[in-house]
Amino acid sequence: MTTTKDADGIDLDIKDAMQGHERFRMEFERDKAFYKSLATKKQKPRLLWIGCCDSRVVPSQITSADPGELFEVRNIANCVPPSFAADEAVGAAIEYALGHLGVDDIVVCGHTGCGGIQALAEPLPPNSEAHLGRWVEYTRPAHQLVAAARVPEAERSLATIRAHIQFQLDNLMTYEIVARGVAEGRINIHGWLYDMEAGEIQAYDPKTGGWLGLLEQGA
């Protein structure tokens, strides 16, 4: 992240993106048939991924997904506002994925070190970040639960991130299209946590209330 410009007056951050696009164009030409099929066929993603917009957490990278496999909703702290909330973007994506694209698995994925979760730990500057302040209020139930449970300070961050993911699964069930699909056995919802230091995904087990490694749970 820089405001420095090169000899031609191009911002170096933009130049980096331009060079990245150039590399992509070379890849595009090597696999043109694949990219043409993406452009000409209806998308059929296998997951609706609701995750954090943290730049360090890239869903396609940590799942080795190809273009066309993930229908992504990314926002600060991987929030799913309840259906009666004012936000329309997440709800619209849920309804489109399930009702029009035939997606039958929804993943809510949080991650360790989430700044969106941490935001409530320190007061936001008054009258300067109103949108952010309203948005991170969606994380408050997790903070309140962890505080009420008197979780030790050293464990509080991870416990809050986990609790927040579980609350988002509850919020998913406020959408009629999700609740009906789950009741009929057509839709599955999953809570995942990406550990950035270990490079591993943990999955929430609603039967036990515990968390297991994703590969361990699959076994």
Side-chain angles (χ1 to χ4, degrees), residues 48 93-106 177-178 187:
L48 166 57
I94 290 170
E95 292 178 350
Y96 189 74
L98 273 58
H100 295 266
L101 300 181
V103 173
D104 56 12
D105 283 287
I106 306 173
I177 194 170
V178 177
I187 303 296

Side-chain angles (χ1 to χ4, degrees), residues 4-190:
T4 306
K5 294 179 170 56
D6 69 4
D8 297 318
I10 301 175
D11 183 290
L12 294 184
D13 293 325
I14 299 301
K15 185 172 183 176
D16 185 65
M18 293 167 64
Q19 291 171 341
H21 179 62
E22 184 177 20
R23 292 191 296 271
F24 168 74
R25 286 291 303 155
M26 295 172 64
E27 176 188 330
F28 186 96
E29 291 300 322
R30 286 195 300 267
D31 205 356
K32 203 165 186 175
F34 170 70
Y35 287 102
K36 182 177 180 179
S37 71
L38 288 179
T40 56
K41 296 179 181 178
K42 182 180 178 180
Q43 63 171 316
K44 288 193 66 177
R46 52 186 173 84
L47 296 177
L48 166 57
W49 180 283
I50 302 176
C52 186
C53 55
D54 192 302
S55 60
R56 303 165 296 175
V57 181
V58 183
S60 60
Q61 183 181 51
I62 63 179
T63 63
S64 296
D66 288 329
E69 293 188 333
L70 300 181
F71 191 73
E72 297 181 33
V73 176
R74 298 181 67 181
N75 58 50
I76 291 176
N78 46 273
C79 293
V80 180
S83 63
F84 49 81
D87 182 78
E88 297 289 354
V90 177
I94 290 170
E95 292 178 350
Y96 189 74
L98 273 58
H100 295 266
L101 300 181
V103 173
D104 56 12
D105 283 287
I106 306 173
V107 170
V108 177
C109 186
H111 66 94
T112 55
C114 181
I117 297 293
Q118 185 64 24
L120 281 185
E122 300 176 5
L124 293 170
N127 305 319
S128 64
E129 297 180 351
H131 294 285
L132 178 59
R134 286 193 294 269
W135 184 261
V136 297
E137 279 297 315
Y138 288 123
T139 74
R140 189 170 295 280
H143 286 277
Q144 293 173 330
L145 179 65
V146 169
R150 299 181 182 277
V151 175
E153 185 174 356
E155 303 170 16
R156 201 169 297 161
S157 176
L158 180 58
T160 305
I161 292 167
R162 286 175 167 173
H164 177 66
I165 293 169
Q166 292 168 248
F167 275 116
Q168 305 324 292
L169 298 180
D170 292 341
N171 287 348
L172 274 174
M173 294 298 289
T174 67
Y175 291 85
E176 192 272 337
I177 194 170
V178 177
R180 186 176 68 247
V182 170
E184 295 174 355
R186 296 183 291 101
I187 303 296
N188 296 299
I189 59 176
H190 312 267

Side-chain angles (χ1 to χ4, degrees), residues 181-203:
V182 170
E184 295 174 355
R186 296 183 291 101
I187 303 296
N188 296 299
I189 59 176
H190 312 267
W192 291 359
L193 169 62
Y194 176 60
D195 185 327
M196 289 202 298
E197 291 189 16
E200 295 177 349
I201 292 176
Q202 299 174 359

